[in-house]
Amino acid sequence: MPLLELNNVSLSFKDQSLFENINLSINKGDKLVISGPSGTGKTSLLKLILGFIPGFEGQISFQNETITHHNIWKVRRSIGYISQDSDIGEGKVGQLIEDIFSLKVNIKLKPDPGKIKELFHFFRLEESTLAKDFEELSGGEKKRVAIIISILLKRDFFFLDEITSGLDDEVLKTVIGYFMESDHTAIIISHDKEWMKKQGVKEFKLN
Amino acid sequence: MSTVDINTLPLIIGFALILIPIAFSWWFNIGIIKRTLIASFRMGIQLLLVGLFLEYLFELNNSFINIAWLMFMILVASVSMIRNSDLKYRILLFPSFMSLAISTLSVVFFFNIVILNLENIFDAKYLIAIGGMILGNSLRSNIVGVSSFYKSIKRNENRYHYQLSLGATRLEAILPFFREGFKSAVNPFIAGMATFGIVSIPGMMTGQILGGSSPMVAVKYQITIVTAIFVVTTVSVILTILFTARSSFNAYGVLNKGIFKN
Ligand SMILES: Nc1ncnc2c1ncn2[C@@H]1O[C@H](COP(=O)(O)OP(=O)(O)OP(=O)(O)O)[C@@H](O)[C@H]1O
Ligand SMILES: [Mg+2]
């Protein structure tokens, strides 16, 4: 049984059609790379699944249940979303992370500082980054902080929207390796050929 | 002792002082002559009409009419609040009206019952004068708070969606924006409060002193009224945001962009 299924999903903004009748089926452990030219609606497709875009046509189900305003909250809690736009918060990085784990659903997941530092090293971020202002980080640093947060949240289904743009080669390989060499499920939006080199990756083209 | 009246001729002379800003505006070619003229004539006529009406209302002093007039003032306040806020009437008028009505009425009655211990708590002098004072002064903060709340969610949509994706409840997701809106609503008020009396003699104190009260009585009124304004401001900002939130967000917790005027 598929984890996520899209049936004839269409989206248009103000009479301008973005995509029509998309059918997708994602099973546990799948890695799906969505590619396509800029402006074709890749980001919109992910947002639509997360319930951020009202007024699309078609049907989406998660774990065999049609997504509605009742279960969307559960769907969101099951997905680790890293948005293309890195403007995800403000204040000190350490505080930002702390606040995320003060949300009711995440309290139980509160990571110990050792785990956070370990991930910072793994993704080649200085420990001192924790004391910096999130808004003053570079684009690539923000991306990595967001990746670390999604890992700390222990979600096993990831929506990764252009997470490798702005990363140097070495870090890029680390990031791709992390998500691909695990049994996590992931929908990846990327222009990077590196993702496609991995085994068992599927591709979906939007145009 | 009662206040010296202003006769017709001096009133006209006083009003004619408006020619000074108009002369400057003409001299420096600032281009606000027409607007100034319209606004000041409107101010004059509006006040004269209200004056006549209030004379009559105070004479009559009917509890029911007094309450009705206060409710009407609250309605006008809500309309003006939305007009100044980039938000649409259809969605926001009723919730804003309810929030202003609840906060203003409860504080005014608290004031009349507990603090002044009035025999007739519907007395026009207290109900309308104090109610209007509180309403007028909390209005601006309310507008600032509510519009800053919605504007910042719209501007920071990605952050807001990110919070939802992290598993935040609706309330948790709006909380940071709520804090920001609340702060921008009360900050100017808090700053102003500290200079009361020394830098600025508030209008109400001026009025009471001219009306023959001793400065000490005026000050005691001022202290309690300023506190009441502060309370109404905070309560009404909170209520307006809570009440409007029901119709400004969809069932998925996403901000309904249709609430903004284009
Ligand atoms: N809320 C919205 N209202 C109207 N138009 C929108 C909205 N969101 C996105 N669009 C439009 O939809 C189109 C697709 O946007 P989207 O961000 O999904 O593209 P994308 O495929 O992710 O592009 P890129 O590769 O550049 O990230 C764009 O033309 C965008 O302007
Ligand atoms: Mg995109």
Side-chain angles (χ1 to χ4, degrees):
Chain A
M1 127 187 151
L3 186 58
L4 180 74
E5 211 170 11
L6 277 69
N7 290 314
N8 294 319
V9 172
S10 310
L11 178 68
S12 40
F13 286 121
K14 296 183 194 107
D15 300 334
Q16 187 214 358
S17 166
L18 213 49
F19 45 71
E20 275 175 2
N21 297 323
I22 289 187
N23 289 291
L24 269 181
S25 172
I26 289 151
N27 293 303
K28 200 156 171 32
D30 279 358
K31 320 285 194 264
L32 178 75
V33 173
I34 300 181
S35 58
S38 176
T40 46
K42 304 181 294 297
T43 297
S44 303
L45 183 62
L46 294 190
K47 287 189 179 171
L48 180 151
I49 299 169
L50 289 164
F52 298 147
I53 298 183
F56 63 89
E57 281 168 49
Q59 186 233 8
I60 306 176
S61 38
F62 183 75
Q63 294 174 337
N64 267 4
E65 277 176 50
T66 300
I67 298 183
T68 64
H69 64 271
H70 294 296
N71 58 12
I72 187 70
W73 309 91
K74 190 189 81 187
V75 174
R76 288 174 184 157
R77 289 198 297 271
S78 322
I79 292 170
Y81 174 49
I82 302 182
S83 58
Q84 179 173 16
D85 182 347
S86 298
D87 177 29
I88 56 169
E90 59 190 6
K92 302 269 179 273
V93 174
Q95 188 62 45
L96 186 77
I97 296 177
E98 191 149 312
D99 288 346
I100 289 172
F101 288 94
S102 321
L103 296 176
K104 244 182 285 156
V105 290
N106 300 333
I107 286 178
K108 295 180 297 292
L109 301 170
K110 205 175 178 77
D112 63 280
K115 177 74 187 166
I116 299 179
K117 283 181 188 152
E118 192 185 301
L119 282 168
F120 268 64
H121 289 159
F122 184 78
F123 289 107
R124 294 189 175 70
L125 282 172
E126 301 286 339
E127 249 176 60
S128 61
T129 312
L130 280 165
K132 284 191 189 159
D133 248 332
F134 181 77
E135 287 173 298
E136 281 164 13
L137 301 185
S138 76
E141 287 170 331
K142 283 182 183 163
K143 284 261 143 87
R144 278 176 281 169
V145 170
I147 291 168
I148 290 168
I149 290 170
S150 81
I151 294 169
L152 290 171
L153 283 168
K154 298 207 169 72
R155 311 263 161 105
D156 56 4
F157 189 4
F158 292 93
F159 281 11
L160 312 174
D161 196 348
E162 306 277 8
I163 60 165
T164 46
S165 55
L167 299 185
D168 63 59
D169 238 32
E170 199 180 353
V171 180
L172 181 138
K173 286 198 169 114
T174 311
V175 169
I176 294 182
Y178 184 88
F179 287 105
M180 296 314 252
E181 280 142 34
S182 64
D183 49 12
H184 297 319
T185 316
I187 300 182
I188 300 133
I189 295 177
S190 183
H191 297 288
D192 224 303
K193 293 283 173 288
E194 201 68 31
W195 293 94
M196 297 304 300
K197 288 183 190 158
K198 299 286 174 179
Q199 247 192 342
V201 175
K202 296 181 192 164
E203 191 178 11
F204 180 80
K205 280 195 159 70
L206 261 183
N207 38 44
Chain B
M1 186 177 115
S2 114
T3 323
V4 179
D5 195 5
I6 300 181
N7 290 321
T8 312
L9 185 63
L11 177 65
I12 292 172
I13 294 175
F15 189 65
L17 287 180
I18 200 78
L19 290 173
I20 296 174
I22 286 180
F24 277 120
S25 167
W26 174 77
W27 182 256
F28 293 111
N29 197 11
I30 301 173
I32 53 165
I33 296 183
K34 198 173 152 201
R35 267 178 54 217
T36 314
L37 279 174
I38 293 176
S40 40
F41 273 101
R42 211 187 125 172
M43 180 269 292
I45 290 168
Q46 204 165 295
L47 281 176
L48 284 175
L49 288 177
V50 168
L52 285 175
F53 180 74
L54 287 183
E55 289 259 353
Y56 182 70
L57 205 72
F58 279 46
E59 191 73 33
L60 207 64
N61 206 6
N62 172 307
S63 301
F64 182 75
I65 297 179
N66 293 347
I67 275 282
W69 179 247
L70 183 58
M71 294 305 278
F72 177 72
M73 294 200 311
I74 294 174
L75 180 67
V76 174
S78 330
V79 169
S80 122
M81 177 168 127
I82 300 174
R83 192 177 53 215
N84 288 296
S85 74
D86 308 334
L87 301 167
K88 278 186 189 158
Y89 289 94
R90 191 169 47 80
I91 296 172
L92 297 169
L93 185 57
F94 185 68
S96 325
F97 174 75
M98 287 308 290
S99 125
L100 278 175
I102 293 173
S103 50
T104 308
L105 289 180
S106 45
V107 171
V108 168
F109 283 122
F110 177 83
F111 198 84
N112 287 358
I113 297 168
V114 179
I115 297 180
L116 299 180
N117 199 6
L118 292 182
E119 235 161 74
N120 174 16
I121 57 167
F122 299 105
D123 194 279
K125 223 171 21 185
Y126 295 93
L127 193 68
I128 293 174
I130 292 179
M133 175 94 192
I134 292 177
L135 196 60
N137 282 282
S138 56
L139 190 62
R140 189 208 302 253
S141 318
N142 214 313
I143 296 170
V144 170
V146 174
S147 43
S148 122
F149 172 75
Y150 284 111
K151 259 190 230 153
S152 66
I153 293 190
K154 187 180 169 196
R155 198 177 46 233
N156 298 301
E157 192 178 43
N158 195 63
R159 286 186 194 183
Y160 179 69
H161 287 171
Y162 185 64
Q163 287 298 315
L164 290 176
S165 83
L166 292 169
T169 61
R170 236 177 282 227
L171 198 62
E172 285 175 324
I174 64 170
L175 201 58
F177 302 97
F178 175 75
R179 284 196 196 106
E180 198 175 309
F182 190 84
K183 241 191 272 173
S184 58
V186 299
N187 267 347
F189 194 86
I190 295 175
M193 207 152 46
T195 65
F196 267 178
I198 298 177
V199 179
S200 64
I201 304 272
M204 170 158 180
M205 255 172 80
T206 311
Q208 272 187 301
I209 293 171
L210 287 179
S213 303
S214 79
M216 218 37 217
V217 172
V219 160
K220 284 188 276 187
Y221 266 84
Q222 191 60 43
I223 291 172
T224 39
I225 292 269
V226 168
T227 314
I229 293 170
F230 194 35
V231 173
V232 170
T233 302
T234 51
V235 173
S236 64
V237 169
I238 294 170
L239 289 182
T240 308
I241 291 177
L242 279 183
F243 290 169
T244 53
R246 309 179 95 249
S247 47
S248 334
F249 294 89
N250 69 17
Y252 292 78
V254 170
L255 185 67
N256 168 11
K257 301 241 181 65
I259 64 168
F260 296 99
K261 293 176 198 152
N262 304 315

